Amino acid sequence: QVQLVESGGGLVQAGGSLRLSCAASGIIVSTRSMGWYRQASGKQRELVAEITSDGSAKYEDSVKGRFTISRDNAKNTIFLQMNSLKPEDTAVYYCHVQYVWRHYWGQGTQVTVSS
């Protein structure tokens, strides 16, 4: 059974940094494309960053240059390093993977950026 468990969210002032973690079980993160999504209050969930099995990364335009997605194969975990945070980054952040035609999501972690 695939499980994704996020951690690392919190309250931070604008300009600050946070590092989110997503520990996976039931899959091997290095063999799948995995992503970080976020959903702000009253808005649709959006893809923030994605890392492919070959290690390539892509980012939503508003986070380019500020966020970095990475993974630790030994820990079977992916990360999202978020720097220069802005109030508009406030959202619940979710880890995601598609496996055997199913979509799996973590429980989400709240990120709140105060101005």
Side-chain angles (χ1 to χ4, degrees):
Q1 183 178 359
V2 177
Q3 286 191 319
L4 305 173
V5 179
E6 300 104 334
S7 61
L11 173 63
V12 64
Q13 288 188 332
S17 298
L18 285 173
R19 188 192 195 205
L20 305 184
S21 300
C22 172
S25 59
I27 59 163
I28 299 173
V29 298
S30 62
T31 66
R32 317 299 305 177
S33 291
M34 296 189 67
W36 284 99
Y37 286 71
R38 67 185 178 188
Q39 187 166 19
S41 180
K43 295 187 177 181
Q44 289 188 331
R45 193 171 296 189
E46 64 175 357
L47 178 63
V48 175
E50 184 178 32
I51 184 166
T52 64
S53 55
D54 67 0
S56 300
K58 64 178 183 181
Y59 300 92
E60 192 268 330
D61 285 346
S62 70
V63 308
K64 286 180 181 176
R66 300 189 298 123
F67 290 11
T68 303
I69 189 170
S70 63
R71 68 180 178 222
D72 184 328
N73 295 339
K75 294 181 179 179
N76 211 37
T77 298
I78 67 167
F79 303 96
L80 185 67
Q81 178 66 43
M82 305 185 294
N83 299 328
S84 302
L85 283 161
K86 304 176 181 180
E88 50 264 42
D89 295 318
T90 295
V92 179
Y93 284 70
Y94 298 91
C95 183
H96 169 267
V97 66
Q98 183 177 352
Y99 180 67
V100 194
W101 312 113
R102 290 186 61 182
H103 293 268
Y104 294 89
W105 300 90
Q107 81 284 1
T109 185
Q110 177 71 47
V111 171
T112 302
V113 184
S114 63
S115 57

